[in-house]
Amino acid sequence: VGTIFLYYIIGIDYIVHGFAHLLDSPSANIFAVFKNEFETDIMDAFNKSRIGKTETVLVEGRRGVYLYGRSSAESPDIDGVVLFTGGEAEPGEFVQVRITGEEDGDAVGEMI
């Protein structure tokens, strides 16, 4: 099933990027919005499967009330991030985060 989703995303990506110059702007935007929503739904499902697990996260900075960073599951510029509370840490530090939820493609957790 995962392979089918991967091919589907690659196909949509090919349509959006490979043929965007052939589509008028509203059509290209519809494909881009659909692709982004579909990818977010996949990441939310994956992040729900992580709830209750503890992961090592590399701290990258602060976003509002959250610190944020990446675990081994998040690729820069492709995937979401891990948003977390529960302590202070500096960018570049590794911390342990228990995943407690998901929000718009990002994992949410508590630093332990």
Side-chain angles (χ1 to χ4, degrees):
V1 175
T3 303
I4 293 169
F5 285 123
L6 178 61
Y7 287 138
Y8 188 74
I9 289 172
I10 290 170
I12 294 296
D13 193 55
Y14 185 72
I15 290 168
V16 171
H17 294 101
F19 291 105
H21 66 284
L22 299 176
L23 300 172
D24 59 15
S25 183
S27 296
N29 288 338
I30 290 169
F31 281 117
V33 167
F34 175 75
K35 177 181 177 263
N36 288 339
E37 288 179 12
F38 186 71
E39 289 174 341
T40 298
D41 288 346
I42 290 172
M43 285 306 302
D44 285 344
F46 171 68
N47 288 332
K48 284 179 185 175
S49 75
R50 299 164 69 187
I51 292 175
K53 296 178 181 171
T54 300
E55 300 191 6
T56 301
V57 174
L58 174 62
V59 178
E60 293 187 344
R62 181 171 289 283
R63 186 185 294 170
V65 299
Y66 293 108
L67 288 167
Y68 72 92
R70 299 181 192 281
S71 72
S72 61
E74 286 84 27
S75 297
D77 301 323
I78 297 174
D79 297 320
V81 295
V82 178
L83 303 169
F84 59 96
T85 58
E88 292 298 320
E90 296 295 321
E93 287 183 52
F94 286 95
V95 297
Q96 296 296 305
V97 175
R98 180 176 298 114
I99 305 299
T100 58
E102 50 75 28
E103 181 178 307
D104 295 330
D106 295 324
V108 179
E110 184 78 17
M111 189 167 78
I112 54 174

